[in-house]
Amino acid sequence: MKLEFEKKMKMASDLLSYCHLHGATEYNLDIKLNDDSATFVVKASPAKISDEDIEELRKHLGAPRQREVEQDYWELIGNSEEECEMTLIGMMCDEAEVVLEEDELTITVVRND
């Protein structure tokens, strides 16, 4: 149980770090934990991120979930290059959505247990 919580907190931390690296100075992180899932919603502004970076983020977070890889590599989150971390988060979640409206970036990630 503690290991699962640690994975979720690393995911949340790296989502915030990604926003910070793209110019955000205001953050809002909502985490909803259910018996069988966790939903993370990060809202950050101002987001200085290009359309190309948004598409790359969607691609990385859209990586198919890989539970077998997750067991070995989740600890790398926070210790590697930015894009690699987002791919690792993508491999640890079941759904992801990225929306940029005006200067606010919203990232929603759902992880089913």
Side-chain angles (χ1 to χ4, degrees):
M1 192 84 159
K2 182 181 177 200
L3 179 64
E4 188 62 32
F5 181 76
E6 288 177 21
K7 289 178 187 179
K8 291 172 184 169
M9 292 305 99
K10 278 197 165 204
M11 290 173 67
S13 175
D14 266 21
L15 291 169
L16 291 174
S17 292
Y18 180 88
C19 295
H20 177 75
L21 289 171
H22 286 88
T25 56
E26 295 181 30
Y27 312 92
N28 182 355
L29 170 63
D30 290 320
I31 303 174
K32 183 177 181 183
L33 302 175
N34 294 318
D35 290 338
D36 59 350
S37 68
T39 302
F40 306 87
V41 179
V42 176
K43 291 186 179 196
S45 63
K48 298 173 185 157
I49 186 167
S50 68
D51 291 340
E52 183 178 292
D53 285 338
I54 289 290
E55 288 309 311
E56 282 294 308
L57 178 59
R58 286 181 179 136
K59 178 180 133 190
H60 292 295
L61 290 178
R65 180 140 184 206
Q66 298 181 21
R67 292 177 190 268
E68 64 282 357
V69 172
E70 174 184 323
Q71 295 304 318
D72 295 327
Y73 294 111
W74 73 270
E75 292 176 321
L76 294 176
I77 294 177
N79 298 321
S80 58
E81 295 178 18
E82 174 185 330
E83 289 183 9
C84 178
E85 292 172 2
M86 292 300 108
T87 300
L88 287 171
I89 290 175
M91 292 182 340
M92 293 175 63
C93 71
D94 296 285
E95 299 173 41
E97 179 182 37
V98 178
V99 176
L100 179 64
E101 290 182 345
E102 300 197 18
D103 69 343
E104 183 176 79
L105 176 64
T106 303
I107 304 171
T108 304
V109 174
V110 177
R111 174 181 167 79
N112 297 322
D113 294 337

